[in-house]
Amino acid sequence: MYLLFPQWQGAGDLPALAQGARRLAQLAPDLSWQEVPLTVSGGLTVQEGILGRVPLLSQFGAVLALLAAGPPTRLFTLGGDCAAELAPIATVNARHGPELTLVWLDAHGDLNTPASSPSGTFHGMPLRHLLGEGDAEVVSSLPSTLRPSQVVLAGVRELDPPEQVYVDAQGWIPVAAATLNAQPTVLGDVLTQRGARKLYVHLDLDVLDPTEFSAVGWPTPGGLTLRALLSLLRDLHARFEVVGGGLTEYLPGNADQEERAAQVLHAWLGQEREDDAVPTD
């Protein structure tokens, strides 16, 4: 199943993320993208520590209902903000259980709770909710939650202090961007050592270094090169069963940025294009 969920409210007042998700779908026109409608009512006010909680909960319910009506074997989601990943990841996890490993390719951990978040923006909280902590209504509505042992962080380099405390408490050691730039297949090696078989690949485009790709809301220095990311994604598809993924946080850019986004999109889907040679510089 190919899901288009152009939610933007999780990132605050950044509706261009919806346009970005829709544009990504247009870059893969051979696939049948099923779009989740967005809530048009409800302002971005803070409730229970979450900015825009009213529309977010409405949209969360809509995507949960859609997925429950026909749980897919494989699920790829184009999202506006990272919180669009909550229901898809929980649905795939409910189907595959402990066999599933979540690869979190992102500049950020998205591990805040409403109590710890400095901004209240929900796109900084989805992974913590998937791990069973956060807004009680959201967590109780998820079809499943993850175990910390199912999560591998890669390219993460900007954590809030409470997020760092959580990462340290789990004993997680993120695979650094510098390591992946030097040898992209290291991530696959780490996953193999952990006994991973089935993967869900979350990909926030801000995992890329802004000197290579800047069409994101929160560009963060020290990220992956385009070459490393493309090689890494192709290696994961070659070595593992990728049963799902999410691609998020694209702000439509110029023609060069769009071409790079298209290359990432197709590599994330496990597709090859004749003009998608990995850059050499």
Side-chain angles (χ1 to χ4, degrees):
M1 181 178 184
Y2 298 97
L3 188 70
L4 172 59
F5 188 14
Q7 176 176 282
W8 56 270
Q9 294 97 331
D13 190 14
L14 199 59
L17 288 176
Q19 180 185 351
R22 294 187 177 109
R23 182 57 189 149
L24 288 174
Q26 292 170 358
L27 296 175
D30 54 319
L31 302 177
S32 297
W33 297 98
Q34 187 165 351
E35 183 167 353
V36 180
L38 300 185
T39 298
V40 295
S41 60
L44 296 185
T45 59
V46 176
Q47 291 187 355
E48 307 291 334
I50 297 175
L51 180 67
R53 186 174 185 271
V54 171
L56 286 167
L57 282 179
S58 175
Q59 290 162 191
F60 178 53
V63 72
L64 279 174
L66 187 155
L67 293 173
T73 304
R74 299 173 75 241
L75 176 59
F76 290 87
T77 301
L78 296 178
D81 67 72
C82 287
E85 287 263 66
L86 268 174
I89 293 173
T91 297
V92 172
N93 185 58
R95 185 176 186 92
H96 296 285
E99 287 189 318
L100 185 73
T101 298
L102 171 61
V103 178
W104 197 262
L105 281 160
D106 199 315
H108 307 93
D110 297 351
L111 285 162
N112 273 303
T113 66
S116 71
S117 172
S119 66
T121 50
F122 199 46
H123 74 158
M125 310 182 202
L127 184 51
R128 189 66 168 269
H129 282 76
L130 285 163
L131 288 158
E133 299 181 36
D135 185 283
E137 185 173 351
V138 173
V139 172
S140 65
S141 299
L142 291 169
S144 73
T145 54
L146 296 163
R147 302 173 183 176
S149 60
Q150 291 177 264
V151 178
V152 174
L153 303 180
V156 172
R157 55 196 182 276
E158 190 171 75
L159 296 171
D160 292 322
E163 293 181 296
Q164 187 65 61
V165 169
Y166 184 85
V167 167
D168 292 342
Q170 305 310 318
W172 290 345
I173 301 176
V175 185
T179 301
L180 295 171
N181 286 338
Q183 189 174 349
T185 56
V186 164
L187 180 56
D189 295 341
V190 169
L191 292 166
T192 296
Q193 291 166 8
R194 292 168 59 104
R197 298 173 59 190
K198 298 180 179 181
L199 305 184
Y200 186 104
V201 181
H202 161 80
L203 174 54
D204 181 332
L205 286 166
D206 69 16
V207 77
L208 285 161
D209 192 86
T211 62
E212 303 242 341
F213 189 83
S214 58
V216 294
W218 283 263
T220 307
L224 272 67
T225 64
L226 179 63
R227 180 181 186 278
L229 180 59
L230 295 177
S231 295
L232 175 161
L233 292 170
R234 290 164 181 163
D235 183 61
L236 294 185
H237 276 280
R239 296 168 65 175
F240 304 94
E241 182 183 359
V242 179
V243 295
L247 183 57
T248 64
E249 307 259 349
Y250 174 53
L251 287 178
N254 60 31
D256 176 67
Q257 295 289 290
E258 181 168 294
E259 172 56 28
R260 290 176 178 230
Q263 290 183 50
V264 173
L265 168 66
H266 288 276
W268 165 76
L269 288 166
Q271 298 178 336
E272 291 288 346
R273 300 191 309 171
E274 290 183 2
D275 57 346
D276 272 356
V278 175
T280 57
D281 57 330

